Amino acid sequence: MADPLYRQIAQDLQRKIEATELAPGDKLPNEMMFREIYGASRNTIRDAIKWLTNRGLVETKPGQGTFVVRRITPLVTTLSADPSTGMAGGEGKAAFEEINRQRERVRQAKANQEDVSGEGIPEGVPRASTPRVEVQFAARYVAERLRLLESSEVVSRHQAFFLGRDPWSLQTTFYPMMLVERGAEELRRAKDIEEGVVGYLEKALGLKQCGYRVRMLVRPPNEVESRFFGLPDDARTPVVSLIRTAYTDTPGFTGAEIGPYPFRVTFTALPADRNQFVMNSGISPEEPAAPARDQ
Amino acid sequence: MADPLYRQIAQDLQRKIEATELAPGDKLPNEMMFREIYGASRNTIRDAIKWLTNRGLVETKPGQGTFVVRRITPLVTTLSADPSTGMAGGEGKAAFEEINRQRERVRQAKANQEDVSGEGIPEGVPRASTPRVEVQFAARYVAERLRLLESSEVVSRHQAFFLGRDPWSLQTTFYPMMLVERGAEELRRAKDIEEGVVGYLEKALGLKQCGYRVRMLVRPPNEVESRFFGLPDDARTPVVSLIRTAYTDTPGFTGAEIGPYPFRVTFTALPADRNQFVMNSGISPEEPAAPARDQ
DNA sequence: GCAAATTTGTTCGTATGTATT
DNA sequence: CAATACATACGAACAAATTTG
């Protein structure tokens, strides 16, 4: 009939949290106190707290207590509409172009004494790890994107991105080995391609990027991601996965089929609880998008 | 030192699932059998299964058992690059234009005996509920997007979308009351605006959409969403929230500031486990994007 | 259509381990 | 080191959902 006891308790606490009777950061009573407050056993109390934890309302710290979670101000990333650049595809400087543009804008506005909120713009200095470069056989999910046979050779370039000391994203880009064979030797070096890969491939091979396609999906983190992002080890915080396929229509690089042909695919993972994404179309405001709420 | 017992058990099962020793849809042994297999108590077995459940690897059904989850083929939605249309903003026919275009393409390809996968294209017939129309005071998150004072009046139009019998999305659009006062009376009627709102507002008021901005964020479902989408009642399946702000630069509709001014904001929620999103930029393949995997 | 069997869900109790202050 | 607080693990009983006979 009625909800089970643990859920009634959880819902009572949820109400208190949403009414800010319990404010973000507040410590909840400990489990023994709750046992008296609600007249339930410790296990039932723990079930209630687990229910709240799954919903991201509270977090527990061994030896300390249970706390109402603080709202994170999400970082806003623009998925650029400019085919020659854009986040989630670049390396080195290119990857942070968007963030740097936003920071510069805020800096200037503040210098002009304008009233500008830097919300959603990161504090820390953007930084990328040295790329880890490998030659691999293409896994199925890579081969599908690059229209290669499974187990064709590909170059994989993996990087971690940080904002200050905080982990921000994990990114792996795959190129057909064919590009290296035709002379794009830099792709195989474990060194940032500072000028950006798009520029490099055009200079080295005459290969022009004509467009790209970004896919976005949400899934539970894998173990590597959980560790890198410091996510709670239940898998409650999902990651957003961006799959960015770059296309060329330069003759000689396209396959048998007519039309744009993929020459690069990048997989980027970011924690879903601290990131928002923006796309602009047509004429939209100049200023970067601030974090939005939807309820 | 070592992982706790329940996690060792969970990880053993995870390995079996990922090695497809346990295939999607398979029923796992019941809790009593597991108790013998692993020599652990029932509660510990249950903790292990809960760990797998949180990761979306298995699901439990009371009275039936525990099953390896079947992979859902996600539905792919293109966030159009065409400022005059695009998903997540339309009503009635307009909202399904993208899906219908895809279905038509597959139908024609099959008629030509081409080898085309309809993956990611929904089976069911797209359908929208009658809009629920209300005049409200703008909540903060609405006022922020429309650059209104909090508690200005807005028209809210709420719809549920279905594919066949399956719930697909929940959507609410807000318009400043000012638009109705200037003559856009249809906005207040509980009836699909078949021609599309963009077209209607241009005809009725001369207001032209010059662009839009789509924000995307991921969060746990609220209770309404959980019920509507039939999500598991732990909050493990997140929803993707699309916030689409439409801008005009038609003189007379813009605020004091120069530049594009928002006249409409739409909030759309979709379950994250069965949807993918695609954006195209520059020249990308003609054919609609098929669902992608990233690992 | 109902009763029995099966299976997971809830709730209690208790003991011990581990992290933090 | 001691105290505090959450984490893990065991056992047991009854409830609720579902399938089977």
Side-chain angles (χ1 to χ4, degrees):
Chain A
M1 183 89 344
D3 275 347
L5 182 52
Y6 79 91
R7 212 146 14 173
Q8 291 179 39
I9 296 172
Q11 277 160 1
D12 181 59
L13 288 170
Q14 181 180 21
R15 190 192 53 72
K16 286 201 169 83
I17 290 170
E18 281 166 4
T20 61
E21 287 174 48
L22 291 164
D26 277 6
K27 182 175 178 309
L28 268 57
N30 69 35
E31 293 172 349
M32 284 311 180
M33 269 148 92
F34 269 138
R35 225 182 48 171
E36 287 173 23
I37 295 173
Y38 289 109
S41 78
R42 187 175 161 226
N43 282 332
T44 301
I45 298 296
R46 283 178 59 74
D47 283 346
I49 290 176
K50 191 166 293 174
W51 192 88
L52 293 169
T53 303
N54 279 334
R55 259 145 257 261
L57 293 170
V58 304
E59 58 190 342
T60 60
K61 297 179 192 174
Q64 297 183 58
T66 303
F67 302 84
V68 180
V69 296
R70 287 174 201 281
R71 264 185 81 73
I72 302 168
T73 299
L75 176 65
V76 180
T77 300
T78 301
L79 301 171
S80 168
D82 171 2
S84 72
T85 173
M87 173 272 174
E91 268 189 24
K93 269 186 228 148
F96 292 115
E97 205 177 297
E98 159 71 17
I99 287 175
N100 284 329
R101 208 160 37 218
Q102 291 185 23
R103 288 157 69 96
E104 178 59 15
R105 186 137 33 194
V106 170
R107 202 191 57 73
Q108 286 189 1
K110 285 201 173 136
N112 295 342
Q113 312 235 349
E114 289 172 37
D115 183 24
V116 147
S117 101
E119 245 201 327
I121 296 174
E123 304 272 325
V125 179
R127 188 170 62 77
S129 70
T130 305
R132 191 186 69 213
V133 181
E134 296 171 4
V135 175
Q136 302 170 338
F137 295 112
R140 183 163 147 223
Y141 67 90
V142 174
E144 277 173 350
R145 290 302 126 239
L146 291 177
R147 297 192 206 155
L148 296 173
L149 290 176
E150 211 166 326
S151 80
S152 308
E153 276 189 311
V154 291
V155 180
S156 128
R157 299 177 65 86
H158 178 82
Q159 279 185 300
F161 293 90
F162 301 84
L163 297 172
R165 273 202 253 92
D166 297 331
W168 181 42
S169 68
L170 285 174
Q171 176 171 303
T172 309
T173 303
F174 297 90
Y175 302 87
M177 197 57 187
M178 183 263 283
L179 295 182
V180 176
E181 286 159 2
R182 293 217 193 168
E185 284 293 338
E186 286 296 319
L187 290 183
R188 204 156 41 175
R189 300 234 164 76
K191 187 171 155 296
D192 262 3
I193 299 176
E194 290 279 346
E195 57 192 317
V197 174
V198 174
Y200 170 65
L201 288 178
E202 180 160 359
K203 211 177 61 181
L205 304 181
L207 183 158
K208 274 189 197 144
Q209 172 170 313
C210 65
Y212 61 80
R213 179 174 268 181
V214 184
R215 280 183 174 76
M216 184 178 263
L217 58 92
V218 179
R219 58 165 172 77
N222 62 36
E223 216 172 321
V224 174
E225 290 157 350
S226 271
R227 215 181 9 255
F228 177 72
F229 295 122
L231 302 178
D233 73 13
D234 53 8
R236 118 182 66 94
T237 304
V239 296
V240 172
S241 175
L242 300 173
I243 308 176
R244 187 179 189 272
T245 313
Y247 296 92
T248 184
D249 54 5
T250 305
F253 289 97
T254 59
E257 302 148 61
I258 302 164
Y261 206 79
F263 68 94
R264 179 182 67 174
V265 61
T266 301
F267 297 86
T268 308
L270 310 95
D273 64 353
R274 62 202 74 163
N275 285 284
Q276 288 185 8
F277 301 90
V278 172
M279 289 142 286
N280 294 308
S281 180
I283 300 167
S284 57
E286 279 280 319
E287 72 272 16
R293 297 189 312 151
D294 68 336
Q295 50 178 331
Chain B
M1 182 95 339
D3 274 348
L5 182 53
Y6 79 91
R7 208 136 34 169
Q8 291 179 39
I9 296 172
Q11 278 160 0
D12 182 58
L13 288 169
Q14 181 181 22
R15 189 192 53 73
K16 286 200 168 83
I17 290 169
E18 283 167 1
T20 61
E21 288 173 46
L22 291 164
D26 276 6
K27 183 174 176 307
L28 267 58
N30 68 38
E31 292 171 352
M32 284 310 179
M33 268 150 92
F34 269 139
R35 223 183 47 171
E36 288 174 20
I37 295 172
Y38 289 108
S41 78
R42 187 179 163 220
N43 282 332
T44 301
I45 297 296
R46 284 177 60 73
D47 282 347
I49 290 175
K50 192 167 290 171
W51 192 88
L52 293 168
T53 303
N54 279 335
R55 262 146 254 265
L57 293 170
V58 303
E59 58 191 342
T60 59
K61 298 180 191 171
Q64 298 185 57
T66 303
F67 302 84
V68 181
V69 296
R70 287 174 201 281
R71 266 184 79 71
I72 302 168
T73 299
L75 176 64
V76 179
T77 301
T78 301
L79 301 171
S80 167
D82 171 3
S84 71
T85 171
M87 174 271 172
E91 269 189 23
K93 268 186 229 149
F96 292 115
E97 205 178 296
E98 160 71 17
I99 286 174
N100 285 329
R101 212 165 31 224
Q102 290 184 23
R103 289 156 68 95
E104 178 58 18
R105 187 137 33 196
V106 170
R107 201 191 57 72
Q108 286 189 359
K110 285 203 175 138
N112 295 342
Q113 313 237 349
E114 288 173 37
D115 183 24
V116 147
S117 101
E119 245 201 327
I121 296 174
E123 304 271 325
V125 179
R127 189 170 62 78
S129 71
T130 307
R132 191 185 71 211
V133 181
E134 296 170 4
V135 174
Q136 303 171 338
F137 295 112
R140 181 163 149 225
Y141 67 90
V142 174
E144 277 174 350
R145 290 301 128 242
L146 292 176
R147 296 190 207 155
L148 295 174
L149 291 176
E150 213 167 326
S151 79
S152 309
E153 277 189 310
V154 289
V155 181
S156 125
R157 299 177 64 86
H158 178 82
Q159 279 185 300
F161 293 89
F162 301 84
L163 297 172
R165 273 201 253 92
D166 297 332
W168 180 42
S169 68
L170 285 174
Q171 177 171 302
T172 310
T173 303
F174 297 90
Y175 302 87
M177 196 59 186
M178 183 263 283
L179 295 182
V180 176
E181 286 158 1
R182 294 216 193 168
E185 285 292 338
E186 286 295 319
L187 289 183
R188 207 159 32 180
R189 300 232 164 77
K191 188 172 153 298
D192 262 3
I193 299 177
E194 289 279 345
E195 59 191 317
V197 175
V198 174
Y200 170 67
L201 287 178
E202 181 159 359
K203 211 177 59 182
L205 304 180
L207 185 157
K208 275 189 198 144
Q209 172 170 314
C210 66
Y212 60 83
R213 179 175 268 182
V214 184
R215 279 183 175 76
M216 182 177 264
L217 59 92
V218 179
R219 58 165 172 77
N222 62 35
E223 218 172 319
V224 174
E225 291 157 349
S226 270
R227 215 177 13 251
F228 177 73
F229 294 123
L231 302 178
D233 72 13
D234 52 9
R236 119 181 65 94
T237 304
V239 295
V240 171
S241 176
L242 300 173
I243 308 176
R244 187 181 188 273
T245 313
Y247 296 92
T248 183
D249 54 5
T250 306
F253 290 97
T254 60
E257 302 148 61
I258 302 164
Y261 206 79
F263 68 94
R264 177 182 70 174
V265 61
T266 301
F267 297 86
T268 308
L270 309 96
D273 64 352
R274 63 202 75 162
N275 286 283
Q276 288 186 7
F277 302 89
V278 172
M279 289 141 285
N280 295 308
S281 180
I283 300 168
S284 57
E286 280 281 317
E287 72 271 15
R293 299 189 311 152
D294 68 335
Q295 48 179 333

